[in-house]
Amino acid sequence: MTFPSGDPWGAPSSPPASETPAPPEPSGPVIAEIAEMQITSTMVHTPVGDLPLSGSRWLVTDQWLSQRRTPTWAKIAAFGGICFTAGLSLFLLLFKEPIAQGTVNVTVTSGQHQYVSRVPVRNEDDVTAINQQVNYIRSLAAL
């Protein structure tokens, strides 16, 4: 049985400078960004690690819905005008506007690793933009 030399109860010494890990080298400028994922020409940078872009598979799942609600301005105008219009202003409560809510899940799979990003959606144009970005990234992954 061998013990390391030095005082075992003393303060731990810092590792030599050659053993500290070097920061990852940048793989180029960011081409696209979906939520917390950053895509360069060769890598997909996620919060849990980097995945190679070449050969990666991308999946988009819409999990959002559109509801119809009475806007706040219509409620205020309807109840504020009850005395002046003999109740006819209550017809403003029939006015509805569409409100989208939910998320779009973007899944990237590369080899054995997989990452899912949830992107909040406010309208249908956001869903279209996310699908266009993912289609562009799919074309880069196929190269």
Side-chain angles (χ1 to χ4, degrees):
M1 190 184 281
T2 60
F3 293 100
S5 62
D7 183 15
W9 304 109
S13 61
S14 61
S18 62
E19 291 183 19
T20 56
E25 294 187 24
S27 60
V30 175
I31 297 172
E33 194 167 338
I34 298 176
E36 62 274 358
M37 292 189 294
Q38 295 180 340
I39 295 91
T40 65
S41 60
T42 58
M43 298 295 288
V44 178
H45 301 287
T46 66
V48 295
D50 296 342
L51 306 172
L53 179 63
S54 179
S56 60
R57 294 183 313 265
W58 294 79
L59 176 68
V60 178
T61 308
D62 298 343
Q63 295 184 344
W64 66 282
L65 57 97
S66 181
Q67 295 180 342
R68 297 178 53 82
R69 293 187 182 163
T70 304
T72 306
W73 66 266
K75 292 176 185 176
I76 293 171
F79 293 118
I82 289 176
C83 297
F84 303 112
T85 61
L88 290 176
S89 64
L90 293 177
F91 282 115
L92 287 173
L93 295 176
L94 297 176
F95 182 77
K96 304 287 184 189
E97 65 181 1
I99 298 174
Q101 58 185 1
T103 60
V104 173
N105 294 341
V106 179
T107 305
V108 58
T109 305
S110 183
Q112 297 290 338
H113 303 286
Q114 182 175 5
Y115 184 76
V116 178
S117 177
R118 290 172 180 80
V119 184
V121 175
R122 292 184 179 81
N123 56 38
E124 293 181 36
D125 294 336
D126 292 346
V127 177
T128 304
I130 292 168
N131 279 311
Q132 289 175 346
Q133 269 191 318
V134 170
N135 286 335
Y136 174 66
I137 295 168
R138 284 177 182 150
S139 69
L140 294 176
L143 295 177

